[in-house]
Amino acid sequence: LLFSNTNEVHWQHVAKYALPHTHAALSFVTHHLKPDPRSFKAVELALHRTGADIIFFDDMLDNVKVANQLNWNGHLASGSNPIDDITKVLNASYQLNI
């Protein structure tokens, strides 16, 4: 699931280049911005999952803190190459070889 603070115009542009996804929790649709816990609850509803069932990466520490307060597996990915950060965490913590 793609979880993003965005507006409709920006999303129309970004969606052309985004990786394929089946669901998106977008702030202009949910009417809640991260780090508002209600935005995270919208994700849980969309996924039909809660807490530890969710692995979450973000480049903003406040968003990761809220995710962890909701018992999600929240991780900061804000280095010079966030994809490397994500890959390392998935490999080391979840044994997912990406």
mmCIF file of all heavy atoms in Angstrom, residues 10 28 34 52 69 93:
data_model
loop_
_atom_site.group_PDB
_atom_site.id
_atom_site.type_symbol
_atom_site.label_atom_id
_atom_site.label_comp_id
_atom_site.label_asym_id
_atom_site.label_seq_id
_atom_site.Cartn_x
_atom_site.Cartn_y
_atom_site.Cartn_z
ATOM 1 N N HIS A 10 -0.718 16.867 -7.573
ATOM 2 C CA HIS A 10 0.585 16.225 -7.437
ATOM 3 C C HIS A 10 0.460 14.723 -7.670
ATOM 4 O O HIS A 10 1.283 14.114 -8.355
ATOM 5 C CB HIS A 10 1.163 16.508 -6.043
ATOM 6 C CG HIS A 10 2.532 15.973 -5.838
ATOM 7 N ND1 HIS A 10 2.794 14.977 -4.946
ATOM 8 C CD2 HIS A 10 3.710 16.285 -6.426
ATOM 9 C CE1 HIS A 10 4.087 14.692 -4.983
ATOM 10 N NE2 HIS A 10 4.661 15.460 -5.863
ATOM 11 N N PHE A 28 -5.203 13.572 0.466
ATOM 12 C CA PHE A 28 -6.304 14.339 -0.106
ATOM 13 C C PHE A 28 -7.590 13.505 -0.186
ATOM 14 O O PHE A 28 -8.679 14.055 -0.317
ATOM 15 C CB PHE A 28 -5.950 14.941 -1.473
ATOM 16 C CG PHE A 28 -5.900 13.977 -2.623
ATOM 17 C CD1 PHE A 28 -7.031 13.725 -3.402
ATOM 18 C CD2 PHE A 28 -4.719 13.334 -2.959
ATOM 19 C CE1 PHE A 28 -6.977 12.859 -4.478
ATOM 20 C CE2 PHE A 28 -4.655 12.463 -4.030
ATOM 21 C CZ PHE A 28 -5.799 12.224 -4.789
ATOM 22 N N LYS A 34 -0.157 12.609 7.624
ATOM 23 C CA LYS A 34 0.805 12.067 8.588
ATOM 24 C C LYS A 34 1.463 13.261 9.268
ATOM 25 O O LYS A 34 1.707 14.255 8.600
ATOM 26 C CB LYS A 34 1.893 11.249 7.863
ATOM 27 C CG LYS A 34 1.421 9.999 7.197
ATOM 28 C CD LYS A 34 2.570 9.259 6.512
ATOM 29 C CE LYS A 34 2.960 9.965 5.237
ATOM 30 N NZ LYS A 34 4.072 9.323 4.525
ATOM 31 N N ALA A 52 1.491 -4.940 14.557
ATOM 32 C CA ALA A 52 2.713 -5.622 14.121
ATOM 33 C C ALA A 52 2.598 -6.268 12.755
ATOM 34 O O ALA A 52 3.607 -6.685 12.183
ATOM 35 C CB ALA A 52 3.120 -6.667 15.159
ATOM 36 N N GLN A 69 4.027 3.941 17.923
ATOM 37 C CA GLN A 69 3.053 4.072 19.013
ATOM 38 C C GLN A 69 1.812 3.220 18.742
ATOM 39 O O GLN A 69 1.141 2.784 19.671
ATOM 40 C CB GLN A 69 2.652 5.537 19.194
ATOM 41 C CG GLN A 69 3.738 6.386 19.797
ATOM 42 C CD GLN A 69 3.430 7.875 19.736
ATOM 43 O OE1 GLN A 69 2.417 8.306 19.179
ATOM 44 N NE2 GLN A 69 4.322 8.673 20.295
ATOM 45 N N SER A 93 15.898 -7.682 9.632
ATOM 46 C CA SER A 93 14.843 -7.806 10.634
ATOM 47 C C SER A 93 13.701 -8.737 10.242
ATOM 48 O O SER A 93 13.004 -9.242 11.115
ATOM 49 C CB SER A 93 14.260 -6.423 10.939
ATOM 50 O OG SER A 93 15.267 -5.576 11.478
#
